[in-house]
Amino acid sequence: MKRREFLNGLMVGAAALVGTSAALRPRRSLAQDAAAKTSAEPRDLSVGYRTIDVRGRSARVFGLVGPDGTPGLTLDAGSGFDVALSSAINEPTLIHWHGLTPPWAADGVPDNPAALLKPSETRRYTFPVGAGGTHWMHAHTLQEQNLLAAPLIVRTAEDRKRDEQEVVVLLHDFSFTSAEELLAKLKGNAAHGAKPMDHGAMQRMSGMQHMMSGSDAAGMAMPGIGAMDLNDLDYDAYLANDRTLDDPEVVRVEKDARVRLRIINGATATAFTIDTGQLSGELVAVDGQGVQSVPGTSFPVSMGQRLDIRLRLPKEGGVFPVLALREGNLERAGIILATAGATVRKIAVEGDAKGPVLGLDLEQRLQPLRPLKARQADRRFDLSLTGDMAAYTWGVDGADGLVVKRSERIEVAISNDSMMAHPMHLHGHHFQVVGINGTPVAGAVRDTVLLPPMASVVLAFDADNPGRWPLHCHHLYHMATGMMAYVTYDGIG
């Protein structure tokens, strides 16, 4: 499949949010794996329509729900992923299981290789769930903007034994304008007066990326070059579990109890910093993969990434907001943890200070609980992320030769030569971060890593899942305009 064909598939509608429930066709099996433990009957999951309230206005959006109306899935580690995905919307769609490592045929990217799921169609997916973790599922089309996403939580036996309450938080950015119109405006705005990137001048910024980390660098300009762009879209609202901060979800918790936050940044174009406020947290996992505990109250999370944060409630109880601060701006979303009898007061949607600019400070501190086995790389690839704001096009230079062989250890060095940050996600694998800004590290195992402007990272993974796997920016509109590459196994495609 050529990149143009992928991008055409990506444009599957997010605008037509009208329709009726559809009858289901007979189930058919997809990507069955003999190693998977399947049940007699699969779990039902349906793509449908929902109506939510956003700042006093009704909005019709997509949803992914089970038979009881609960969004998403909760599965057991080591079991089989056996799901019958049905569509009750009036346009084609497809769902990607972000964080799992299914066979290529089940990955959920349109025409790579599976066809879009048609209205009224049901498709059965069976493959091993794998280890536990905080994951999610979402459309790999512009429908993602209209909230076609849901949690996908895989719980271990240890998770079930722990004396702690789990709270899942799915973050999103929301617009009353359709994704197609937003993309057209981005391309139209860029075509009318935006300046092309001066890549020669940007090289003068090399080595200065660390200055931006955690700072108020919105609109920051370096000598001789244009300003760093934090956000190319301003949304109508920022949501935590479908709700804005002026009407947040209030989660009842016990005094002197432990809470595990499973936070998913499902936003299409917005990075956040999680602020636990009065409660000191412990970061214990990123992208569903365990890390050595990192204490703190402020934890960055870019698009597609996940955080597991453990909190301890005080003996006296109270009200404890957990906020998601929009990068470089005053807006915020969040939930409220409250013990019985505590008075919950209104919280302003805008804070007093802008949210921090995301950098690599935390990434440099992360240490995995289960790193990759030590091994020399069999192949190494060098990629550069590029962009042209004048045309609003983005790309991955050096990706044409990304061909690997099964059982090889692969290293991919990625440098960001653009003035926007890019959270890069690899399908079908988990990688370890083994280099940051030219320094070797034994970093986290994950599936999505942030590259701030002028930063570089090196990723290592084992080629153990044959296919043609996307490696792309998880900013929806950067992906839609070209920041997409493929890791292709020799002999495929």
Side-chain angles (χ1 to χ4, degrees), residues 60-397:
R60 198 166 197 209
V61 299
F62 295 113
L64 272 165
V65 299
D68 62 354
T70 301
L73 292 169
T74 300
L75 305 172
D76 291 331
S79 67
F81 185 96
D82 190 0
V83 171
L85 176 67
S86 62
S87 176
I89 64 175
N90 61 357
E91 55 188 276
T93 191
L94 202 60
I95 301 302
H96 167 56
W97 320 106
H98 189 133
L100 302 187
T101 54
W104 178 42
D107 185 45
V109 176
D111 298 319
N112 186 49
L116 286 158
L117 187 72
K118 299 175 183 178
S120 306
E121 183 182 355
T122 296
R123 191 175 296 174
R124 187 172 178 179
Y125 294 80
T126 59
F127 55 85
V129 168
T134 300
H135 307 304
W136 64 304
M137 48 189 162
H138 60 85
H140 223 276
T141 68
L142 292 183
Q143 294 161 331
E144 183 187 352
Q145 179 68 82
N146 294 84
L147 310 194
L148 189 39
L152 202 175
I153 307 302
V154 181
R155 302 184 74 224
T156 65
E158 292 74 18
D159 291 336
R160 292 190 295 274
K161 291 176 183 177
R162 287 193 190 100
D163 183 19
E164 63 184 16
Q165 180 179 350
E166 293 192 358
V167 178
V168 179
V169 182
L170 176 62
L171 302 171
H172 217 104
D173 39 26
F174 173 83
S175 178
F176 286 102
T177 304
S178 74
E180 291 89 346
E181 292 177 84
L182 291 175
L183 181 56
K185 287 179 180 179
L186 285 170
K187 295 183 74 70
N189 289 344
H192 293 88
K195 296 180 180 179
M197 290 184 176
D198 181 352
H199 291 290
M202 282 196 302
Q203 299 306 316
R204 295 193 293 272
M205 191 175 170
S206 179
M208 302 182 71
Q209 186 274 331
H210 67 280
M211 296 172 59
M212 303 179 190
S213 180
S215 65
D216 182 12
M220 179 180 181
M222 304 303 291
I225 64 175
M228 178 176 68
D229 295 307
L230 291 180
N231 300 288
D232 41 18
L233 283 169
D234 291 320
Y235 284 90
D236 293 316
Y238 301 89
L239 309 179
N241 293 345
D242 292 339
R243 299 172 75 161
T244 56
L245 198 54
D246 51 9
D247 180 30
E249 179 181 6
V250 178
V251 179
R252 292 298 174 186
V253 293
E254 296 181 1
K255 299 176 182 179
D256 195 26
R258 292 201 310 179
V259 172
R260 185 188 187 102
L261 300 174
R262 294 182 181 266
I263 296 174
I264 304 161
N265 187 354
T268 57
T270 306
F272 297 97
T273 293
I274 303 303
D275 180 2
T276 60
Q278 304 172 52
L279 300 176
S280 179
E282 287 182 281
L283 179 66
V284 295
V286 296
D287 293 357
Q289 308 296 314
V291 295
Q292 297 288 343
S293 175
V294 178
T297 59
S298 181
F299 303 96
V301 59
S302 194
M303 295 83 83
Q305 294 183 325
R306 290 89 68 208
L307 304 174
D308 282 36
I309 302 171
R310 182 170 289 136
L311 305 173
R312 183 82 190 205
L313 279 296
K315 294 179 180 179
E316 61 272 21
V319 175
F320 308 97
V322 176
L323 302 178
L325 313 179
R326 184 189 177 203
E327 183 180 29
N329 288 269
L330 299 176
E331 296 95 339
R332 50 195 189 169
I335 64 167
I336 310 296
L337 306 178
T339 57
T343 301
V344 179
R345 294 181 172 84
K346 189 175 180 64
I347 298 177
V349 172
E350 293 191 353
D352 296 328
K354 294 179 180 180
V357 175
L358 273 66
L360 293 172
D361 285 356
L362 177 62
E363 197 70 49
Q364 292 171 323
R365 299 169 59 196
L366 296 178
Q367 299 178 56
L369 295 183
R370 289 176 293 277
L372 296 185
K373 293 181 180 179
R375 177 182 170 185
Q376 289 294 316
D378 298 294
R379 295 178 195 253
R380 180 184 169 102
F381 301 93
D382 293 287
L383 309 179
S384 298
L385 307 181
T386 62
D388 182 350
M389 287 296 288
Y392 201 80
T393 58
W394 304 90
V396 183
D397 286 354

Side-chain angles (χ1 to χ4, degrees), residues 421-468:
H422 302 291
M424 298 301 293
H425 172 50
L426 175 63
H427 288 221
H429 304 77
H430 298 119
F431 55 76
Q432 185 172 3
V433 178
V434 296
I436 297 177
N437 291 333
T439 301
V441 298
V445 176
R446 56 192 319 159
D447 56 60
T448 308
V449 67
L450 178 68
L451 278 94
M454 308 312 299
S456 64
V457 299
V458 181
L459 316 177
F461 67 93
D462 291 324
D464 56 6
N465 194 5
R468 188 169 181 266

